[in-house]
Amino acid sequence: QKEVEQDPGPLSVPEGAIVSLNCTYSNSAFQYFMWYRQYSRKGPELLMYTYSSGNKEDGRFTAQVDKSSKYISLFIRDSQPSDSATYLCAAGGSNYKLTFGKGTLLTVNP
Amino acid sequence: NAGVTQTPKFRILKIGQSMTLQCTQDMNHNYMYWYRQDPGMGLKLIYYSVGAGITDKGEVPNGYNVSRSTTEDFPLRLELAAPSQTSVYFCASSNTGGSSTDTQYFGPGTRLTVL
């Protein structure tokens, strides 16, 4: 079983929709969780990070972690065509390394 | 700051050839990483370094070598290129190497094709 599982999609939504992206993880040693956004032919860039269970909000983006069920989510409100990208979830512990999911390709149609 | 820079952007190699992928960061980060990204497969860690002179294997190190003689540079060496090494390679760096307030900064990537 891969340590971080992510549905690769692709996911296609109309502009203005609420988008929900999800990952599950199996390693209880993971302490913090991140969402990276990767535009086509570019390197990933950090979008959100969370450390504890609960929600963290930043503008139109909300990251949610449920450590009891080992489930992490990213919600995008009022999605825009500029949100079209691949979204990668990642989990890290105390060993300097991140474990990434496969990424979900999101397309927001105008 | 330029952040993390990688050269070359693209490269086509023949089977058995060697090459070095260059990575430089100007943020004085101690931690540096090399990943490969295959279509639909996410990022796989090849090698990482926690400081100059210190390197360690990641998830998929076979066929690669690294060195870290300075804080800024972390080159990745392919000695005998194989078609299985066709991929996009990303270099990343971070300051504290794994805390909830740290992040890995990625370079723009090198697209390598081995024919």
Side-chain angles (χ1 to χ4, degrees):
Chain A
Q1 181 190 10
K2 201 176 186 310
E3 286 192 302
V4 177
E5 299 275 2
Q6 182 176 9
D7 185 345
L11 187 60
S12 182
V13 301
E15 185 175 352
I18 297 174
V19 176
S20 172
L21 303 168
N22 307 296
C23 292
T24 58
Y25 65 96
S26 58
N27 190 342
S28 298
F30 289 145
Q31 299 170 359
Y32 55 93
F33 308 89
M34 297 178 174
W35 284 95
Y36 280 82
R37 179 174 60 195
Q38 184 177 22
Y39 291 114
S40 180
R41 296 185 172 264
K42 300 288 187 184
E45 55 180 353
L46 182 70
L47 190 61
M48 299 278 288
Y49 71 82
T50 53
Y51 184 76
S52 57
S53 284
N55 293 353
K56 181 174 182 178
E57 192 173 315
D58 184 1
R60 297 184 295 109
F61 299 90
T62 300
Q64 189 174 79
V65 176
D66 182 347
K67 287 189 174 181
S68 62
S69 58
K70 295 187 176 65
Y71 199 82
I72 55 179
S73 302
L74 178 70
F75 298 97
I76 308 174
R77 290 184 301 281
D78 188 25
S79 56
Q80 303 295 310
S82 57
D83 296 328
S84 298
T86 295
Y87 291 79
L88 298 148
C89 61
S94 58
N95 63 356
Y96 323 124
K97 294 181 279 189
L98 289 178
T99 300
F100 287 84
K102 291 183 177 181
T104 299
L105 177 60
L106 170 68
T107 301
V108 181
N109 301 298
Chain B
N1 284 354
V4 180
T5 57
Q6 292 182 239
T7 57
K9 285 187 170 54
F10 307 93
R11 184 73 185 268
I12 297 175
L13 279 183
K14 293 182 179 177
I15 294 172
Q17 285 186 320
S18 302
M19 77 164 295
T20 299
L21 283 68
Q22 302 291 346
C23 174
T24 300
Q25 54 92 7
D26 62 0
M27 298 173 281
N28 202 33
H29 285 169
N30 286 319
Y31 298 81
M32 296 188 73
Y33 310 82
W34 273 107
Y35 294 91
R36 60 177 288 171
Q37 186 176 39
D38 301 314
M41 296 301 294
L43 291 160
K44 299 281 183 67
L45 183 65
I46 305 172
Y47 270 96
Y48 67 101
S49 169
V50 302
I54 306 170
T55 62
D56 207 349
K57 296 177 181 178
E59 188 181 354
V60 289
N62 291 345
Y64 307 94
N65 253 312
V66 294
S67 59
R68 184 97 182 270
S69 57
T70 67
T71 299
E72 295 78 20
D73 301 306
F74 190 39
L76 178 71
R77 178 87 178 156
L78 282 71
E79 290 294 348
L80 291 169
S84 60
Q85 294 177 305
T86 294
S87 189
V88 182
Y89 292 84
F90 289 101
C91 179
S93 73
S94 67
N95 191 22
T96 61
S99 74
S100 60
T101 58
D102 193 21
T103 183
Q104 290 187 19
Y105 295 89
F106 283 80
T110 293
R111 290 183 174 272
L112 176 67
T113 302
V114 182
L115 299 173

